[in-house]
Amino acid sequence: VQLQASGGGLVEAGGSLRLSCAASGRTSTYFMGCFRQAPGKEREFVAALSWNGRSTYYADSVKGRFTISRDNAKNTVYLQMNSLKPEDTAVYFCAAARSFTKGGSYADSYEYDYWGQGTQVTVSS
């Protein structure tokens, strides 16, 4: 499985972007997640969704502004980001998990088996 992220860019505060994460292999049964990493900071969880898209999870910092979704027919996951803030500036990564270890969480980056290369999102004030 290879993941290719796209859709990043430069946007003013309050603006919107939609990130896409296209998978080369079949990921329809995988749990998909999105993480981000700002300069000098650790990678942090942003959003995740179950294989069928019925269960979604968000970090408190993006809840109500970001929406994660997937189209399994296209092997693609989307992250719609609205009301962007300068603190959302980071490199955004998508990831896929076949399953979680006992006690593991969708918010733990080490639970994910495959990672995309990342796409830069910059929000100007």
Side-chain angles (χ1 to χ4, degrees):
V1 173
Q2 292 185 331
L3 304 176
Q4 180 72 40
S6 62
L10 173 64
V11 64
E12 293 184 348
S16 299
L17 283 174
R18 189 177 80 156
L19 304 184
S20 298
C21 177
S24 62
R26 297 279 299 177
T27 57
S28 58
T29 60
Y30 287 27
F31 207 93
M32 301 297 293
C34 182
F35 292 76
R36 67 186 181 188
Q37 188 166 17
K41 295 186 177 181
E42 294 186 353
R43 189 170 298 188
E44 65 174 0
F45 169 74
V46 175
L49 80 169
S50 59
W51 70 271
N52 57 10
R54 293 178 182 173
S55 298
T56 56
Y57 308 89
Y58 298 94
D60 288 342
S61 59
V62 306
K63 200 171 294 183
R65 300 188 297 122
F66 290 12
T67 302
I68 191 169
S69 61
R70 67 192 299 165
D71 183 339
N72 284 339
K74 296 182 178 179
N75 283 337
T76 301
V77 172
Y78 304 99
L79 183 68
Q80 178 66 43
M81 305 185 295
N82 298 328
S83 302
L84 283 162
K85 304 175 181 179
E87 51 263 45
D88 294 319
T89 295
V91 178
Y92 283 70
F93 300 88
C94 58
R98 288 171 292 188
S99 63
F100 295 123
T101 58
K102 185 178 181 180
S105 167
Y106 52 81
D108 295 327
S109 60
Y110 57 80
E111 292 286 343
Y112 290 80
D113 304 290
Y114 304 99
W115 289 83
Q117 85 289 359
T119 185
Q120 177 71 45
V121 172
T122 302
V123 184
S124 62
S125 56

